[in-house]
Amino acid sequence: MAFTCAVITFPGSNCDRDMAVALEQISGTAPLRIWHGDADLPDRLDFIALPGGFSYGDYLRSGAMAANSPIMRSVVAAAKRGVPVLGVCNGFQVLTESGLLPGALMRNAGQTFICRTVALTVENNQSLFTGGYDAGETIHIPVAHHDGNYFADGETLDRIEGDGRVAFRYAEKVNGSRRDIAGILNAEGNVLGMMPHPERAIEPEHGTADGRRLFEGAINALVSA
């Protein structure tokens, strides 16, 4: 089965090419490049990626303006049909602002931009995105954000935890995120938002290739389905 994916680009996105290169290298097929102002997605897509980058300069709330781009209506509809959607960094912010994931991403607790490789604990390895990892495994993925402090009220956090929807947790203090959450899933498991950048960790030359298994696991599962 052929694998068809799309990378959405917003004004100010600066990791869309990184995401496209990672997906092409691992799947063997170049992803479609979709502009935020387009109203529709192709009829059949196996995977949608919302990349990192400072959409609209991170003005207003991070990701809020991008969440109201014309293409996001189609992305939300596709996610509700079960199409897998991955949002990384600013893409995670867009997912929360569009209502596909709960919570919000706030300014880092230290009020500084953080750009380094961090340790993550794999909390849930039963999803499409995390099946290539072992539960409890420690992996290393780069972060690069100023607004990565995940926030949700206590009831929402308890629900996310109870449903096993925390995909990744920081194994160290990074940005003040509640309960050290680095990535979460929607209730159906087909939407993942995460602040660390797996597309920057797919070859040993990156310093870590731990992000590669996220893409390999998802692509292999979709192709063999």
Side-chain angles (χ1 to χ4, degrees):
M1 170 180 148
F3 175 75
T4 305
C5 61
V7 175
I8 311 298
T9 299
F10 303 95
S13 294
N14 61 22
C15 300
D16 50 333
R17 185 175 182 275
D18 295 348
M19 182 67 74
V21 168
L23 285 166
E24 181 174 5
Q25 180 174 328
I26 295 168
S27 72
T29 303
L32 302 172
R33 306 294 298 276
I34 309 294
W35 181 237
H36 80 111
D38 295 340
D40 299 307
L41 290 166
D43 289 337
R44 195 191 72 79
L45 281 175
D46 298 308
F47 191 93
I48 300 169
L50 306 183
F54 307 100
S55 62
Y56 294 95
D58 273 353
Y59 297 127
L60 192 61
R61 298 190 310 269
S62 299
M65 295 173 73
N68 287 285
S69 292
I71 197 61
M72 283 306 299
R73 289 189 289 273
S74 292
V75 171
V76 170
K80 290 182 176 179
R81 292 195 306 271
V83 177
V85 179
L86 169 66
V88 171
C89 197
N90 187 243
F92 186 7
Q93 296 162 348
V94 175
L95 290 175
T96 61
E97 293 286 356
S98 63
L100 285 172
L101 292 174
L105 281 305
M106 299 167 39
R107 188 63 48 88
N108 293 342
Q111 302 293 305
T112 58
F113 183 81
I114 300 169
C115 185
R116 61 185 175 89
T117 297
V118 301
L120 304 176
T121 302
V122 179
E123 295 290 322
N124 177 342
N125 74 332
Q126 299 300 307
S127 77
L128 172 76
F129 305 96
T130 58
Y133 301 109
D134 294 327
E137 180 180 0
T138 299
I139 62 175
H140 296 85
I141 305 286
V143 297
H145 58 250
H146 199 270
D147 299 87
N149 181 354
Y150 181 74
F151 175 85
D153 61 51
E155 181 180 350
T156 300
L157 289 169
D158 288 344
R159 184 174 69 252
I160 293 171
E161 296 268 17
D163 292 344
R165 290 167 55 189
V166 176
F168 301 106
R169 202 184 305 272
Y170 296 112
E172 55 189 286
K173 296 299 179 184
V174 174
N175 52 28
S177 287
R178 301 306 186 271
R179 304 187 189 182
D180 298 317
I181 289 173
I184 61 171
L185 296 154
N186 68 339
E188 294 74 23
N190 68 302
V191 177
L192 170 65
M194 59 186 295
M195 286 309 297
H197 288 264
E199 79 282 2
R200 296 185 182 180
I202 62 167
E203 346 181 293
E205 289 79 7
H206 290 155
T208 170
D210 286 344
R212 188 179 190 93
R213 282 182 286 159
L214 185 150
F215 295 106
E216 287 178 338
I219 292 167
N220 290 338
L222 289 167
V223 170
S224 62

